[in-house]
Amino acid sequence: MTRSRKPFGPVETFAPTRRGFGLGAGAALMLGGCSVALPGSGEPPRIYVLTPKSTFGDDLPEVDWQLLIEPPQAAAGISSARIALRRSLIELEYFARAAWTDSAPLMIQTLLIESFENSEKIVSVGRQAIGLRSDFILKSDLREFQAEYMDDNGNPLPAGSPPNIRIRMNAKLVRMPHRTIAGSRTIEYLIQAPGPGMVDIIAGFDDALGKTLKRIVGWTLEEGQRIYSATNT
């Protein structure tokens, strides 16, 4: 039986049971021959940041309506600051000593707001939590946000291969004040990281998320303007 290779750096699995955690920790100590690290000891985690989208096509409509953006909804496994990876179809793990600057949903909410602002095509955009009046609310679901060391069939990638970065989001544009869903779009990107190192993996996340943000901004402005023009003429 072949063994799948380990990704860059140590990994941690998601949500072990109390009994499973104890067995796993004991096995790790037996195999590694090392003692339990005290709280506050060891290397500090490296904190990584992703960037908003800053370039957009000139064909995007310039709109004068207002938009509020909610944090994406996400499953517990990716709704954290830990950087997720997969080596099989049924298990989620994390890179050790590496984290995002914030939980993934809050980080993406901030990057969405900045991307809309960078487009210079919308009069007002902000966080839903601040309670401002808006014409639309952008709701979203973050469904995939991880590095994958396997193909679509769950087979491990060749040893030394950079992982694929998968991001999938569903965006819903809600018309206010009646809170009716005016449109919905699912966007997914699967992009190979430029290399196997952690910095390369983060660059892959940045590339995939940047493409996703660009698509969401473009679709929101076009769909929102179509609906807004139809109901205000």
Side-chain angles (χ1 to χ4, degrees):
M1 180 178 64
T2 60
R3 295 185 178 180
S4 60
R5 67 177 186 82
K6 293 185 178 180
F8 177 88
V11 298
E12 302 173 5
T13 56
F14 169 61
T17 62
R18 185 183 300 273
R19 179 174 180 271
F21 178 81
L23 292 174
L29 290 174
M30 291 173 63
L31 293 175
C34 58
S35 60
V36 177
L38 295 174
S41 63
E43 297 180 8
R46 298 185 67 180
I47 307 300
Y48 294 96
V49 62
L50 300 180
T51 59
K53 195 64 182 175
S54 58
T55 57
F56 296 90
D58 295 332
D59 56 342
L60 285 181
E62 189 168 343
V63 304
D64 59 2
W65 38 265
Q66 300 184 78
L67 176 70
L68 294 180
I69 298 177
E70 292 187 352
Q73 298 295 309
I78 57 176
S79 184
S80 75
R82 305 169 78 184
I83 302 176
L85 67 95
R86 270 187 174 160
R87 291 185 289 174
S88 75
L89 296 173
I90 60 172
E91 187 175 21
L92 190 67
E93 302 175 85
Y94 302 97
F95 292 101
R97 296 189 298 276
W100 302 120
T101 55
D102 206 337
S103 69
L106 292 179
M107 178 178 66
I108 291 175
Q109 179 193 32
T110 297
L111 294 173
L112 271 171
I113 292 171
E114 293 178 1
S115 296
F116 274 102
E117 292 172 342
N118 291 342
S119 75
E120 299 182 346
K121 297 292 186 178
I122 187 167
V123 63
S124 177
V125 59
R127 301 177 190 275
Q128 195 275 338
I130 62 179
L132 297 178
R133 184 190 69 82
S134 67
D135 300 290
F136 294 97
I137 293 177
L138 182 64
K139 295 176 175 285
S140 60
D141 293 302
L142 181 61
R143 296 174 178 172
E144 306 282 354
F145 194 65
Q146 69 271 341
E148 295 184 349
Y149 289 85
M150 61 181 184
D151 61 23
D152 287 338
N153 296 318
N155 300 313
L157 298 179
S161 298
N164 296 313
I165 308 301
R166 187 185 299 273
I167 296 178
R168 181 159 60 102
M169 290 185 66
N170 173 266
K172 291 181 176 64
L173 193 59
V174 178
R175 185 74 165 100
M176 299 298 286
H178 303 295
R179 293 187 174 273
T180 56
I181 296 177
S184 177
R185 176 68 58 88
T186 298
I187 297 167
E188 180 172 8
Y189 281 98
L190 182 66
I191 295 176
Q192 187 179 53
M198 198 67 215
V199 172
D200 295 320
I201 293 168
I202 299 303
F205 271 101
D206 201 50
D207 185 17
L209 183 60
K211 295 178 185 299
T212 303
L213 296 175
K214 183 174 183 178
R215 290 278 302 279
I216 291 177
V217 169
W219 171 78
T220 301
L221 292 176
E222 292 169 357
E223 187 70 6
Q225 184 62 18
R226 182 186 67 80
I227 296 166
Y228 189 80
S229 298
T231 55
N232 290 273
T233 54

